[in-house]
Amino acid sequence: MAEAFQTLDIIEEITRNDGSSYKEIGNLLHNGQSEYAVEEGMIKKVRILKINIPHSTNVIKYEKFVNESFDIPTNVAISEFTEWQRSPEMDELVEKILAENKVS
């Protein structure tokens, strides 16, 4: 569903407006959109935890899920921030990616 295939290579921590946070596997486009979303008050905060993560089998699987499941605009100035909703299986995959990259 993405306008262009998105390669994922960073780990971010995103803080929602209610103060709760989560970790996401993204890329510089996603980070730029998240930074824009902060400026526009759509989310509270975003920070990069790790860049240039290895393109492991788990990252490839998650990348496929994201690209097939979400409409990812290629511009930074987004009209709304979309949190990628994950299944329990995808949550587990992200946890493996975080462990592989020593991010807790």
Side-chain angles (χ1 to χ4, degrees):
M1 287 181 62
E3 289 180 26
F5 187 84
Q6 298 295 311
T7 300
L8 305 180
D9 58 3
I10 67 172
I11 299 173
E12 305 168 288
E13 181 179 59
I14 297 173
T15 304
R16 301 174 186 98
N17 284 333
D18 67 4
S20 63
S21 65
Y22 66 100
K23 293 179 179 69
E24 187 58 87
I25 314 305
N27 58 19
L28 289 179
L29 172 63
H30 187 261
N31 182 258
Q33 291 169 338
S34 300
E35 292 286 349
Y36 181 83
V38 169
E39 292 173 4
E40 296 297 313
M42 297 176 217
I43 58 175
K44 191 172 195 173
K45 184 170 110 176
V46 62
R47 67 187 182 123
I48 296 175
L49 301 176
K50 192 157 188 176
I51 60 173
N52 296 325
I53 62 172
H55 206 222
S56 69
T57 302
N58 289 325
V59 171
I60 292 168
K61 288 177 188 174
Y62 188 64
E63 198 174 70
K64 184 176 188 285
F65 163 73
V66 167
N67 278 280
E68 290 176 355
S69 302
F70 301 100
D71 182 22
I72 305 168
T74 55
N75 57 320
V76 172
I78 53 175
S79 59
E80 68 178 304
F81 182 80
T82 302
E83 183 175 330
W84 297 337
Q85 297 300 312
R86 303 188 288 240
S87 65
E89 179 185 1
M90 289 300 114
D91 278 336
E92 189 176 310
L93 199 57
V94 167
E95 288 302 318
K96 288 178 183 176
I97 294 167
L98 296 175
E100 290 170 355
N101 288 279
K102 298 174 179 50
V103 174
S104 56

